[in-house]
Amino acid sequence: MTDDGAQNGSLPDRAFTPLEERLDAWAHRRMAALADEAGPWRRGLLEFAVFTAKQAWACIFGAAMLVLLVLSRLIYPDDALLVRSDALVLAAVAVQVLMLVLRLEGGRELWVILLFHVVGTVMEVFKTHMGSWTYEVDGLLRIGGVPLYSGFMYAAVGSYMVRVFRLFDLRFTRYPPIWATALVAAAIYANFFTHHYLPDIRWLLVGAVVLLYARCAMSFRNHRTGPRRRMPILVSFVGVAFFLWVAENVGTWAGAWIYPHQSAQWHLVPLTKFVAWLLLMMISVVLVTFVHRPEAPELEAPEPG
């Protein structure tokens, strides 16, 4: 469907960075040029290409971290004066600074990144202490057994969430109350700690997530004057969690951290970790809603609650 904002060519209220502005303007020009002369398949392919390009850009911070992890395994010398984990910390900081200087990232992303550093690092320190996974033991830039680059990997998830809000002008129908989502997110975070001492309630928490978001639909548009597309928000959660699981496999293959079953030889991360990522992602969703409040599509009045 098309909304008034799309028909009038109005801009989303979430400002683009300069590069995002050029990408969005290019998408608008190409779609306008094909509006009358091209068939639906050609227009559909172009829209899919724009969607893919914007998704890739939303992942830029996480992709940069994965590239650094892989390169550090393949080409970083073992006898270098600076150990690999410390080099990764400095490289991650350099990427973050470069993105801010070049205006490839806005201030809101930075706040989410800092918040995710705290949330992720606290959990990492506890989990490594409990033996859930381990990092290399060398290096000075670390807290306990956790090198500081691990916080950037969590921050990449938050960076992605903020970017997709802006790039696709996300709107939500029947979004659950923020207080309820915050309570579930707090319970999820607590369970990552308490399940070492108390019964693991992750499946109850998955059920709570499904109940909360089952009626919620997400609408997005590939460029500012494009039609809105709708999808159940739970579908997007599953999709993002799957790609996080794939990224985790890349990270463990690169030796950034390993699970106990990978100590002798690398194996795929079990699909049970997919559920963990789905739950952890819900924490990021709630934190990002504190930066970008969920809004209804322009033609729909916000529902109470």
Side-chain angles (χ1 to χ4, degrees):
M1 67 178 178
T2 306
D3 54 42
D4 290 339
Q7 293 172 345
N8 297 330
S10 62
L11 303 182
D13 61 356
R14 298 149 182 156
F16 291 150
T17 65
L19 188 146
E20 293 163 357
E21 176 71 33
R22 291 193 292 271
L23 177 60
D24 190 81
W26 173 83
H28 169 64
R29 290 195 303 270
R30 290 301 301 153
M31 293 300 292
L34 293 178
D36 299 322
E37 62 188 50
W41 280 102
R42 190 175 175 186
R43 292 196 300 270
L45 286 174
L46 177 60
E47 187 164 345
F48 179 74
V50 173
F51 176 83
T52 303
K54 284 195 168 185
Q55 284 287 341
W57 176 244
C59 296
I60 187 66
F61 192 86
M65 285 300 302
L66 284 180
V67 168
L68 289 174
L69 293 176
V70 171
L71 290 179
S72 68
R73 168 170 179 163
L74 295 177
I75 66 175
Y76 197 77
D78 294 334
D79 58 352
L81 183 62
L82 186 66
V83 300
R84 186 174 89 135
S85 62
D86 286 351
L88 279 170
V89 174
L90 297 179
V93 172
V95 169
Q96 179 63 77
V97 171
L98 187 64
M99 292 182 70
L100 290 171
V101 170
L102 296 179
R103 299 179 64 196
L104 301 180
E105 193 164 70
R108 285 186 170 183
E109 282 90 347
L110 181 61
W111 281 111
V112 172
I113 284 171
L114 292 175
L115 188 56
F116 269 66
H117 267 292
V118 175
V119 171
T121 301
V122 169
M123 190 175 73
E124 285 282 325
V125 171
F126 177 80
K127 287 291 191 178
T128 54
H129 175 72
M130 299 300 295
S132 298
W133 55 81
T134 57
Y135 290 91
E136 295 175 327
V137 297
D138 296 332
L140 298 175
L141 303 177
R142 60 197 307 112
I143 299 176
V146 181
L148 295 183
Y149 68 75
S150 68
F152 284 94
M153 295 187 291
Y154 287 92
V157 180
S159 177
Y160 168 80
M161 293 292 179
V162 174
R163 286 173 181 276
V164 293
F165 259 83
R166 183 179 65 243
L167 288 170
F168 294 96
D169 190 25
L170 297 186
R171 307 284 171 160
F172 304 91
T173 304
R174 297 183 296 275
Y175 196 88
I178 296 296
W179 65 265
T181 63
L183 284 178
V184 171
I188 289 171
Y189 191 63
N191 189 65
F192 279 112
F193 297 84
T194 60
H195 82 83
H196 290 278
Y197 310 102
L198 300 173
D200 189 352
I201 61 169
R202 71 179 64 195
W203 289 109
L204 291 177
L205 294 170
V206 170
V209 169
V210 171
L211 287 175
L212 264 182
Y213 291 94
R215 298 177 62 247
C216 181
M218 181 177 71
S219 73
F220 65 94
R221 51 188 175 195
N222 283 333
H223 58 96
R224 69 187 67 187
T225 55
R228 283 202 172 273
R229 313 294 184 185
R230 290 168 60 92
M231 67 183 300
I233 196 171
L234 287 175
V235 173
S236 69
F237 290 165
V238 171
V240 173
F242 172 76
F243 282 104
L244 288 172
W245 176 79
V246 172
E248 182 174 41
N249 277 285
V250 175
T252 54
W253 173 85
W257 69 97
I258 59 171
Y259 291 102
H261 78 282
Q262 298 170 322
S263 58
Q265 183 181 2
W266 182 81
H267 299 279
L268 278 175
V269 176
L271 278 173
T272 54
K273 295 295 182 183
F274 168 83
V275 177
W277 276 113
L278 177 64
L279 291 173
L280 186 64
M281 189 188 65
M282 301 316 304
I283 300 173
S284 70
V285 169
V286 171
L287 290 176
V288 171
T289 60
F290 296 151
V291 178
H292 288 306
R293 304 293 287 188
E295 300 176 13
E298 290 85 343
L299 292 182
E300 299 180 31
E303 296 190 3

